[in-house]
Amino acid sequence: MCGINGIAFSSRSGRRVERDVLERMRDCLTHRGPDDSGLYTDGRVGLGHRRLSIVDVGGGHQPMTNEDDTLHIVYNGEIYNHADFRPGLEARGHRYRTHCDTETILHLYEEHGAACVERLRGMFAFAIWDERARELFIARDRLGVK
């Protein structure tokens, strides 16, 4: 089970994410993801990830980005129906770089925005930083908050 963390300040606060604070938060989760780690910061937003490699061991580094690097995701869980979406998303021009369900979430978000969650079947928690909209989207499976 991976570990995810993040920090987001309102644009009015003028505060910026301190990379070392985000890194220390992330590393408190090493027991949940000893195989890999990553960070992303963009001024007032920071995302951290600790990975337990199960699917696409070599290609699932996070935070993961979409094709034009405008969306950034940290994710934990399993999307049972992710393979069902891939052919249609590829037909619409999305380029996959991995075999991870994480990437499918990003492409579905590009297509459907926050409504992408309604299509997902599985156990999950994720946060997406959308640079274009300058907003953070957070979702959990049906047992949590959508």
Side-chain angles (χ1 to χ4, degrees):
M1 177 175 282
C2 300
I4 63 176
N5 69 293
I7 301 172
F9 296 115
S10 76
S11 56
R12 292 183 300 264
S13 76
R15 296 187 64 188
R16 299 180 61 79
V17 172
E18 295 179 41
R19 189 174 178 88
D20 63 321
V21 172
L22 185 67
E23 188 173 350
R24 286 195 313 268
M25 288 171 58
R26 180 205 62 198
D27 290 346
C28 287
L29 303 171
T30 300
H31 63 284
R32 294 197 51 181
D35 299 327
D36 192 18
S37 65
L39 288 175
Y40 170 79
T41 59
D42 181 14
R44 64 182 185 89
V45 172
L47 302 173
H49 188 264
R50 292 296 316 196
R51 182 165 188 231
L52 177 62
S53 300
I54 297 173
V55 176
D56 194 0
V57 174
H61 180 76
Q62 292 185 43
M64 187 178 284
T65 64
N66 63 335
E67 301 98 329
D68 65 3
D69 293 328
T70 58
L71 298 176
H72 307 270
I73 187 172
V74 288
Y75 158 73
N76 176 50
E78 183 178 358
I79 305 301
Y80 308 135
N81 60 338
H82 78 96
D84 298 342
F85 298 111
R86 189 172 180 137
L89 289 166
E90 288 177 322
R92 287 191 294 284
H94 295 279
R95 294 183 323 271
Y96 277 77
R97 296 177 275 202
T98 73
H99 296 284
C100 294
D101 49 358
T102 311
E103 198 167 9
T104 295
I105 298 169
L106 278 174
H107 297 314
L108 285 172
Y109 182 86
E110 288 178 295
E111 292 283 324
H112 305 287
C116 71
V117 174
E118 297 166 15
R119 293 167 166 75
L120 302 175
R121 302 293 171 259
M123 304 177 299
F124 56 87
F126 63 87
I128 296 176
W129 171 240
D130 185 335
E131 285 185 23
R132 295 168 297 203
R134 304 300 292 170
E135 62 186 28
L136 186 66
F137 175 65
I138 300 171
R140 293 196 334 225
D141 64 64
R142 68 180 186 278
L143 298 177
V145 177
K146 286 192 179 183

